[in-house]
Amino acid sequence: MSMTKQRKLIKEIINNSERHLTAEEIFTEARKSMPSIALGTVYRNLGKLCEDNEIRLISLRGFSDCYDKSFSPHGHLICNSCGRVDDFPISDIGEELTQRLGVDLIYYDINAHYICDDCKKKIPVTDDSF
């Protein structure tokens, strides 16, 4: 099946990004090349790209979902303050999980939560902090 111009543009934006973008960020970027694209079109195409296993959805509680282009084994480091998502390398533990759990895994997600350095700088320091 051929890919629509809109889907191709959305996938290109995700593939060229160094970050995990939200649908709104993808929409803003897409409008630079295709001013007539609608936000609904972006969401529909993101859903289809996820369904076709071309990208992965990262759901974040309290923040906008974002999208990941990589299917290689890695974890996500998530700031609980601003919602920033960064990748961190991990060795493929799928085999160990399969062995320990006694099931055949389809996939797995590993998320680690923290407060990023930028957010730490924004937290006021008081005398009670020590």
Side-chain angles (χ1 to χ4, degrees):
M1 180 197 319
S2 68
M3 191 178 283
T4 66
K5 289 184 290 186
Q6 293 89 345
R7 188 167 300 146
K8 192 174 191 175
L9 174 62
I10 291 165
K11 186 155 192 248
E12 185 177 293
I13 289 167
I14 293 167
N15 285 340
N16 290 334
S17 176
E18 293 299 315
R19 299 182 317 106
H20 298 82
L21 300 173
T22 65
E24 291 79 12
E25 290 171 326
I26 294 166
F27 171 66
T28 299
E29 191 63 31
R31 290 200 59 181
K32 293 176 184 175
S33 300
M34 194 177 286
S36 63
I37 196 168
L39 183 58
T41 300
V42 171
Y43 274 107
R44 222 175 5 270
N45 280 284
L46 287 169
K48 184 68 175 151
L49 287 166
C50 287
E51 189 179 298
D52 293 345
N53 291 318
E54 294 188 50
I55 61 172
R56 290 186 345 184
L57 171 69
I58 303 171
S59 292
L60 303 171
R61 189 176 59 221
F63 298 100
S64 296
D65 293 344
C66 58
Y67 298 87
D68 192 347
K69 62 187 170 191
S70 175
F71 283 86
S72 64
H74 68 280
H76 292 115
L77 192 57
I78 302 167
C79 176
N80 278 3
S81 184
C82 69
R84 175 182 168 163
V85 178
D86 290 307
D87 291 340
F88 66 88
I90 57 171
S91 59
D92 187 1
I93 62 168
E95 192 174 311
E96 182 179 342
L97 288 172
T98 296
Q99 215 171 28
R100 281 185 175 199
L101 300 172
V103 297
D104 293 326
L105 296 177
I106 297 167
Y107 71 93
Y108 56 90
D109 292 314
I110 298 190
N111 296 326
H113 295 261
Y114 78 126
I115 303 296
C116 72
D117 289 340
D118 289 340
C119 289
K120 282 181 187 175
K121 291 175 189 170
K122 295 175 188 173
I123 298 171
V125 179
T126 64
D127 291 341
D128 297 340
S129 298
F130 300 103

